[in-house]
């Protein structure tokens, strides 16, 4: 029990240090990083079974091979992590449930007292997989569901089947009831485009009596994808200027994500945030550097400095935080 209390204190202190470091840097215009990451994203799989529009992986624009991180490599990462890290997400540019060892990885994290989340297209959550996920101790699962009809859903989730998603949701809910478990919390994420915004209200009505959380999210689009922009402006991330899409709101200076989280890619590369799809900005790898060395590196501090003075990095063009 004393160990658990100590861990809780360490994690809370680190979160306070994150807030202090970020605010100090913002107010005094000087980079200070007293904290370690609050969250880590680990790309256990860079494979995917869909070909989603505007997705770098789905459209074949990922530089690294499609592969699965071995359990041995995964455990090496976790054993080197500071205990003060609170949150670990097991996804990035790939489908985590294509990883045959994903359940073992979740269990390993939960044994080490980390909050664990995955995001999935839910194409292969049968009853057996639902049981494994619930019993693993997984805290939260995000399920992508961008429509309620096959015709609408497959316009973005190419190769996906909407009935598989409905089955997955039902399997998870029923398994939680059967096993009398509160977790994983189920978040249904609906990314809004012009072609699916008409189904939003039906989607909400269909799901309102279920044990799920609904998340409506605006879409990340390419500059010339004007035809995919929703008609309803509240679902728009962009405005149209000279027939091109530009972000509606300015980004915070500096970017708080650079004080909060970092991403370990399947092949050993490091990404600084969810828009750094190919891990192009940090030259080090998690094979030869510790998280503390990467977190306090000159490279990462130089990027923090750029966002502090409002010098935009190319990957920021689609970010609305």
């Amino acid at each position: 029990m004393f160990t658990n209390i100590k861990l809780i204190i360490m994690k809370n202190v680190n979160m306070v240090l994150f807030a202090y470091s970020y605010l100090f840097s913002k107010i005094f215009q000087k980079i200070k990083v007293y904290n370690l990451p609050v969250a880590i994203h680990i790309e256990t799989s860079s494979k995917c079974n869909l070909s989603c529009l505007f997705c770098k992986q789905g459209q074949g624009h990922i530089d690294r091979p499609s592969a699965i991180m071995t359990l041995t490599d995964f455990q090496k990462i976790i054993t080197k992590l500071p205990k003060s890290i609170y949150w670990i997400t097991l996804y990035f540019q790939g489908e985590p449930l294509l990883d045959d060892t994903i359940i073992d990885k979740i269990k390993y994290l939960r044994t080490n007292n980390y909050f664990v989340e995955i995001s999935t297209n839910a194409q292969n959550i049968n009853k057996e997989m639902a049981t494994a996920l619930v019993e693993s101790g997984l805290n939260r699962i995000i399920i992508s569901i961008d429509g309620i009809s096959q015709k609408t859903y497959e316009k973005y989730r190419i190769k996906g089947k909407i009935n598989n998603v409905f089955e997955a949701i039902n399997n998870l809910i029923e398994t939680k009831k059967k096993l009398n478990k509160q977790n994983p919390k189920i978040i249904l994420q609906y990314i809004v485009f012009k072609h699916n915004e008409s189904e939003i209200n039906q989607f909400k009505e269909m799901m309102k009596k279920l044990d799920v959380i609904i998340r409506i999210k605006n879409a990340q689009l390419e500059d010339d994808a004007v035809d995919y922009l929703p008609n309803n402006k509240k679902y728009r991330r962009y405005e149209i200027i000279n027939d091109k899409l530009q972000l509606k709101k300015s980004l915070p200076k500096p970017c708080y994500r650079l004080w909060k989280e970092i991403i370990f890619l399947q092949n050993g590369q490091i990404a600084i945030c969810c828009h750094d799809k190919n891990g192009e900005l940090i030259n080090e790898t998690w094979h030869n550097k510790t998280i503390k060395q990467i977190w306090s590196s000159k490279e990462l501090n130089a990027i923090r400095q750029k966002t502090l003075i409002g010098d935009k990095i190319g990957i920021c063009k689609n970010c609305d935080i």
Side-chain angles (χ1 to χ4, degrees):
M1 182 172 177
F2 176 75
T3 302
N4 287 339
I5 293 173
K6 184 179 178 181
L7 280 173
I8 291 170
I9 292 172
M10 288 173 63
K11 293 175 190 293
N12 286 336
V13 168
N14 190 50
M15 284 193 277
V16 171
L17 289 174
F18 152 64
Y20 175 78
S21 298
Y22 176 75
L23 290 173
F24 182 98
S25 302
K26 185 179 180 69
I27 293 169
F28 295 102
Q29 294 291 290
K30 187 175 182 180
I31 301 297
K32 292 292 181 184
V33 186
Y34 296 109
N35 64 299
L36 288 166
V38 173
I40 298 285
H41 306 259
I42 303 177
E43 184 186 66
T44 60
S45 168
S46 55
K47 291 183 175 182
C48 195
N49 47 356
L50 301 188
S51 300
C52 302
L53 289 176
F54 312 118
C55 171
K56 295 291 186 183
Q57 172 61 284
Q59 297 303 306
H61 298 149
I62 296 297
D63 293 342
R64 56 196 175 279
S66 293
I68 302 295
M69 181 184 290
T70 67
L71 184 58
T72 300
D73 276 347
F74 180 80
Q75 290 174 336
K76 285 179 181 177
I77 292 174
I78 304 308
T79 55
K80 293 179 181 179
L81 289 184
K83 297 298 183 183
S84 57
I85 291 170
Y86 175 68
W87 194 301
I88 297 183
T89 61
L90 299 181
Y91 62 92
F92 187 49
Q93 294 299 297
E95 169 53 49
L97 297 185
L98 294 181
D99 176 5
D100 291 339
T101 63
I102 191 65
I103 299 301
D104 292 328
K105 289 168 181 170
I106 295 169
K107 288 179 178 179
Y108 188 75
L109 290 177
R110 293 299 297 133
T111 300
N112 285 277
N113 296 296
Y114 293 109
F115 183 101
V116 187
E117 172 187 80
I118 67 169
S119 180
T120 175
N121 57 41
Q123 292 299 298
N124 58 348
I125 303 181
N126 55 24
K127 290 182 179 180
E128 182 181 1
M129 176 57 78
T131 300
L133 288 168
V134 174
E135 290 182 336
S136 71
L138 180 67
N139 297 95
R140 192 161 79 169
I141 183 169
I142 300 169
I143 293 177
S144 300
I145 175 169
D146 315 312
I148 59 172
S149 65
Q150 178 63 27
K151 182 179 179 181
T152 298
Y153 174 78
E154 67 183 359
K155 282 187 179 179
Y156 180 71
R157 303 281 168 189
I158 298 170
K159 299 180 184 177
K161 303 296 182 185
I162 189 63
N163 285 339
N164 289 348
V165 183
F166 291 144
E167 181 182 353
I169 295 167
N170 183 66
N171 286 340
L172 286 166
I173 291 172
E174 291 303 313
T175 302
K176 284 173 63 177
K177 287 180 181 177
K178 180 180 177 180
L179 299 178
N180 194 28
K181 298 285 188 180
Q182 296 298 311
N183 288 332
K185 303 301 182 191
I186 302 168
I187 296 179
L188 304 183
Q189 182 168 277
Y190 193 109
I191 300 177
V192 184
F193 302 91
K194 181 180 288 186
H195 65 261
N196 69 1
E197 64 182 319
S198 63
E199 294 185 359
I200 293 174
N201 290 336
Q202 292 170 275
F203 166 71
K204 289 180 177 178
E205 185 67 23
M206 181 184 296
M207 300 299 170
K208 71 178 183 180
K209 293 182 180 179
L210 301 181
D211 180 24
V212 298
I213 300 165
I214 292 172
R215 177 189 291 173
I216 306 297
K217 185 178 179 181
N218 57 35
Q220 176 183 323
L221 301 170
E222 300 296 337
D223 295 345
D224 57 354
V226 175
D227 291 343
Y228 289 87
L229 201 64
N231 292 313
N232 191 328
K233 291 184 178 180
K234 77 175 182 178
Y235 298 129
R236 291 184 176 186
R237 182 180 298 199
Y238 309 90
E239 56 188 353
I240 303 173
I241 299 178
N242 297 325
D243 296 323
K244 296 289 184 181
L245 300 182
Q246 292 189 19
L247 285 175
K248 285 167 44 174
K249 65 180 183 181
S250 58
L251 297 176
K253 296 188 294 184
C255 175
Y256 71 83
R257 289 186 183 273
L258 299 176
W259 275 258
K260 181 185 176 187
E261 59 201 56
I262 200 161
I263 302 169
F264 290 179
L265 303 185
Q266 177 275 326
N267 65 345
Q269 290 176 275
I270 302 293
I272 64 168
C273 74
C274 60
H275 292 278
D276 186 15
K277 310 295 187 184
N278 281 307
E280 298 171 339
L281 300 176
I282 300 291
N283 290 321
E284 301 293 349
T285 71
W286 48 260
H287 290 301
N288 56 21
K289 293 288 183 179
T290 67
I291 183 66
K292 291 181 181 180
Q293 289 172 324
I294 295 165
W295 191 244
S296 59
S297 68
K298 290 181 179 180
E299 279 184 303
L300 189 48
N301 278 334
I303 295 168
R304 291 181 178 118
Q305 180 65 30
K306 281 189 174 184
T307 70
L308 180 67
I309 63 176
D311 186 0
K312 283 190 177 181
I313 305 167
I315 61 171
C316 300
K317 69 175 184 176
N318 281 315
C319 181
D320 69 342
I321 302 292

